[in-house]
């Protein structure tokens, strides 16, 4: 079966490579010629563990093209284009509709067009209206986490499929055939209507963001009353109805999905004249969290950060990715610079460092140009620092590292924005003269 994929960004590329690995012949189309050329050379434009290898391994079943006509004869076309948020937080659907318009002339009425892009409720219906009788539209949201996206592709916790009420039975059967590998692995399938499938995606991401915001807000109370958020989260998480995932307090959530999807869900409530109380609070708490953390840092320096130098450990929005979108680490860097501090940033992912260097060079934020320096070496980052800020949840540092850091910094203060250092290690460090502050922890 020939399968088409529109868009070779994060979602599209994983979908294309994943399906090729399952044995399908895949044609992946993108309007960006440079991306296509890179992919033809076997170079993925994004950093994802195992992707390059899998891309090369499945070369004979993967065809990358810049010509939309090459999608002709694809029995199923997955639309995986971006749905960025506009200035008001609403999802911009221009790419989705233009993809549908572009393929319409190639369709014969027997094809299935699958929307994998995250789209607001009602979009699958609108795309079906646009395509008319030329194809059947199916909603199939993705739940890929960056950094382990291939693992998530091959081992999903569920597959969600949303169909139109008048779709013939063969459309369902064909979708199940494409995902036969997952059926055989007994992955649960949620077969539903378009609108429910669309909302499952937004609800899942907003709920996860809400869990984090809940625990972050609670951390503020925990700290005031002398409790430890990590223990509270552990005690909560052992209740299987709550679960222990996404209860790590820190400086907040970022990335390409949570911020965009929470905002888009808020919009959808408003469009249907409902008050989005929890999604709104989820977003607000996340915005406050960085300020709350910054104030903690400021308090340690008597309220004045002017002239201070900070070693910022972690730059991307989470570990082991080069993705800087809505990165809390970078937002914190901007806030520190605004306070008159100088920031030396480091990330274990070389691509993340490179991307931040580009931002500094491009001068996208004037603040970066004079207040942020990216170091390729951890020791350089720490040299002469007045404080060390852990902004991304890397678990790389043991006591020996901190002993080495102690020799490099000017002032021994750790601000653990991800509560990543174990209690025992923190106690040892405090005994060795370090000042330590985490999120919702007492020392
Ligand atoms: C997320 C969803 O997990 C995925 O299912 C969806 O398809 C896309 O969005 P991703 O953006 O890759 O995936 O990031 P994720 O690993 O979920 O982390 C999001 C943010 O939350 C990160 O900034 C992370 O640091 C933060 N986080 C996560 C916390 O602050 N605490 C936690 O307990 C977990």
């Amino acid at each position: 079966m020939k399968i088409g994929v529109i868009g070779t960004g994060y979602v599209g590329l994983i979908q294309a490579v994943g399906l090729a690995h399952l044995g399908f012949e895949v044609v992946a189309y993108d309007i960006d010629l440079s991306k296509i050329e890179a992919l033809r050379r076997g170079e993925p434009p994004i950093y994802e563990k195992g992707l390059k290898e899998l891309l090369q391994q499945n070369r004979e079943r993967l065809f990358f093209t810049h010509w939309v006509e090459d999608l002709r004869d694809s029995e199923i076309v997955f639309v995986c284009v971006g749905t960025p948020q506009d200035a008001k937080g609403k999802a911009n659907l221009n790419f989705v509709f233009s993809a549908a318009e572009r393929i319409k002339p190639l369709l014969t009425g027997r094809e299935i067009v699958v929307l994998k892009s995250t789209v607001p409720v009602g979009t699958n219906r609108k795309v079906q209206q646009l395509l008319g009788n030329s194809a059947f539209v199916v909603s199939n949201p993705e739940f890929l986490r960056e950094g382990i996206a291939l693992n998530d592709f091959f081992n999903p916790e569920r597959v969600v499929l949303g169909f139109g009420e008048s779709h013939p039975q063969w459309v369902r059967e064909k979708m199940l055939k494409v995902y036969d590998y997952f059926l055989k692995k007994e992955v649960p399938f949620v077969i539903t209507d378009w609108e429910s499938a669309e909302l499952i995606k937004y609800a899942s991401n907003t709920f996860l963001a809400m869990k984090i915001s809940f625990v972050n807000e609670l951390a503020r109370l925990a700290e005031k009353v002398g409790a430890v958020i990590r223990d509270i989260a552990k005690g909560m998480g052992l209740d299987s109805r709550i679960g222990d995932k996404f209860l790590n307090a820190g400086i907040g959530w970022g990335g390409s999905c949570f911020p965009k999807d929470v905002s888009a869900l808020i919009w959808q409530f408003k469009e249907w004249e409902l008050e989005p109380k929890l999604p709104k609070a989820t977003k607000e708490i996340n915005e406050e969290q960085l300020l709350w953390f910054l104030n903690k840092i400021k308090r340690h320096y008597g309220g004045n950060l002017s002239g201070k130098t900070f070693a910022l450990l972690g730059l991307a929005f989470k570990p082991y990715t080069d993705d800087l979108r809505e990165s809390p680490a970078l937002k914190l860097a901007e806030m520190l610079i605004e306070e008159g501090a100088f920031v030396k940033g480091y990330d274990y992912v070389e691509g993340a460092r490179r991307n931040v260097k580009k931002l500094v060079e491009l001068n996208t934020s004037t603040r970066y140009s004079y207040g942020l320096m990216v170091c390729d070496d951890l020791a350089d980052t720490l040299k002469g620092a007045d404080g060390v800020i852990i902004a991304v949840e890397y678990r790389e540092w043991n006591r020996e590292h901190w002993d080495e850091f102690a020799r490099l910094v000017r002032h021994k203060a750790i601000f653990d924005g991800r509560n990543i250092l174990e209690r025992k290690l923190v106690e040892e460090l405090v005994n060795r003269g370090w000042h330590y502050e985490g999120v919702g922890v007492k020392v």
Side-chain angles (χ1 to χ4, degrees):
M1 189 191 303
K2 178 177 157 185
I3 288 181
V5 173
I6 302 184
T8 58
Y10 212 86
V11 175
L13 194 51
I14 300 288
Q15 183 75 5
V17 173
L19 288 174
H21 195 68
L22 294 181
F24 295 99
E25 188 197 333
V26 180
V27 178
Y29 156 78
D30 202 294
I31 46 170
D32 186 341
L33 182 60
S34 62
K35 255 191 203 171
I36 293 298
E37 283 172 344
L39 286 165
R40 282 187 183 152
R41 289 194 302 270
E43 292 162 16
I46 51 159
Y47 173 83
E48 188 65 41
K49 209 168 76 200
L51 183 58
K52 196 169 180 176
E53 293 75 13
L54 221 57
L55 184 66
Q56 283 167 355
Q57 207 178 312
N58 293 287
R59 261 189 144 151
E60 75 280 9
R61 279 188 299 278
L62 270 168
F63 178 66
F64 293 103
T65 180
H66 184 238
W67 299 102
V68 74
E69 287 77 12
D70 290 330
L71 291 172
R72 201 184 292 279
D73 304 327
S74 300
E75 293 177 45
I76 299 182
V77 178
F78 287 90
V79 177
C80 307
V81 294
T83 51
Q85 68 182 73
D86 67 13
K88 290 181 183 158
K90 200 174 167 181
N92 175 343
L93 295 172
N94 289 349
F95 296 129
V96 173
F97 290 121
S98 81
E101 266 158 19
R102 223 169 268 189
I103 48 163
K104 192 175 176 186
L106 311 173
L107 303 168
T108 65
R110 295 287 303 165
E111 292 83 1
I112 301 175
V113 171
V114 185
L115 294 198
K116 263 209 119 45
S117 305
T118 301
V119 290
V121 77
T123 308
N124 277 268
R125 202 168 282 281
K126 283 186 195 145
V127 173
Q128 183 69 73
Q129 272 159 13
L130 192 155
L131 295 178
N133 293 329
S134 35
F136 294 94
V137 176
V138 173
S139 169
N140 173 215
E142 52 81 23
F143 302 95
L144 306 173
R145 284 165 296 176
E146 286 191 24
I148 43 171
L150 280 170
N151 175 67
D152 283 350
F153 177 88
F154 290 110
N155 305 290
E157 289 191 317
R158 78 290 214 190
V159 174
V160 175
L161 294 172
F163 297 94
E165 43 290 329
S166 53
H167 280 10
Q169 190 58 22
W170 68 260
V171 176
R172 281 169 196 240
E173 282 160 12
K174 195 153 187 170
M175 284 309 296
L176 294 178
K177 205 167 143 202
V178 173
Y179 286 145
D180 187 48
Y181 172 80
F182 304 122
L183 276 176
K184 285 203 178 107
K185 280 181 76 155
E186 295 187 10
V187 173
F189 274 60
V190 181
I191 309 280
T192 183
D193 51 78
W194 282 324
E195 285 74 15
S196 306
E198 289 163 337
L199 277 177
I200 286 170
K201 170 70 197 225
Y202 284 106
S204 302
N205 274 354
T206 306
F207 193 84
L208 290 171
M210 186 177 77
K211 271 184 101 172
I212 305 170
S213 282
F214 180 83
V215 85
N216 281 345
E217 190 179 30
L218 201 65
R220 303 177 202 164
L221 176 66
E223 208 168 283
K224 282 229 159 160
V225 302
V228 182
I229 196 66
R230 217 182 342 213
D231 293 349
I232 300 171
K234 189 175 175 195
M236 288 167 66
L238 285 168
D239 183 329
S240 62
R241 293 169 302 175
I242 298 174
D244 61 355
K245 308 258 167 36
F246 282 68
L247 285 181
N248 295 329
I251 54 172
W253 39 268
S256 61
C257 291
F258 283 1
K260 172 171 87 74
D261 293 351
V262 173
S263 293
L265 186 62
I266 290 174
W267 233 152
Q268 290 171 70
F269 268 87
K270 286 185 182 159
E271 276 189 334
W272 292 92
E273 292 171 3
L274 292 166
E275 181 65 21
K277 290 184 188 165
L278 285 172
K280 229 169 109 193
T282 299
K283 186 171 182 238
E284 281 166 9
I285 293 165
N286 200 49
E287 284 159 1
E288 288 163 8
Q289 192 69 2
L290 274 172
L291 198 61
W292 176 83
F293 193 69
L294 177 76
N295 283 332
K296 247 162 129 39
I297 302 175
K298 273 173 80 176
R299 268 199 304 278
H300 179 71
Y301 299 92
N304 185 6
L305 299 183
S306 181
K308 298 275 180 259
T309 297
F310 289 97
L312 185 72
L313 303 188
L315 296 169
F317 86 94
K318 68 176 204 180
Y320 308 110
T321 174
D322 62 356
D323 196 337
L324 308 179
R325 285 177 284 181
E326 301 282 333
S327 159
L330 282 186
K331 285 188 186 165
L332 185 61
E334 285 206 46
M335 290 162 111
L336 290 162
I337 295 164
E338 199 132 87
E339 294 285 334
F342 184 73
V343 178
K344 295 208 280 177
Y346 178 82
D347 198 291
Y348 279 97
V349 175
E350 201 251 324
R353 300 199 299 271
R354 200 178 40 237
N355 288 343
V356 179
K357 280 183 202 161
K358 270 190 227 152
L359 282 185
V360 176
E361 276 159 28
L362 285 173
N363 209 0
T364 45
S365 155
T366 41
R367 271 170 248 136
Y368 285 151
S369 60
Y370 58 81
L372 178 64
M373 183 172 98
V374 181
C375 302
D376 282 318
D377 183 71
L378 197 50
D380 285 344
T381 320
L382 287 137
K383 220 175 275 168
D386 294 295
V388 184
I389 301 171
I390 301 176
V392 173
E393 47 274 60
Y394 284 114
R395 294 176 193 278
E396 312 275 343
W397 311 291
N398 54 29
R399 220 204 51 217
E400 284 68 41
H401 285 114
W402 289 102
D403 286 345
E404 162 80 10
F405 296 170
R407 285 190 282 278
L408 294 164
V409 297
R410 188 155 50 199
H411 173 68
K412 291 199 283 182
I414 304 167
F415 302 95
D416 183 356
R418 293 293 178 185
N419 281 354
I420 214 69
L421 302 187
E422 293 299 331
R423 192 185 314 210
K424 205 168 150 288
L425 176 62
V426 170
E427 278 165 11
E428 281 176 19
L429 294 177
V430 170
N431 286 336
R432 285 161 182 260
W434 283 91
H435 172 82
Y436 176 87
E437 289 198 40
V439 174
V441 288
K442 61 167 181 239
V443 181

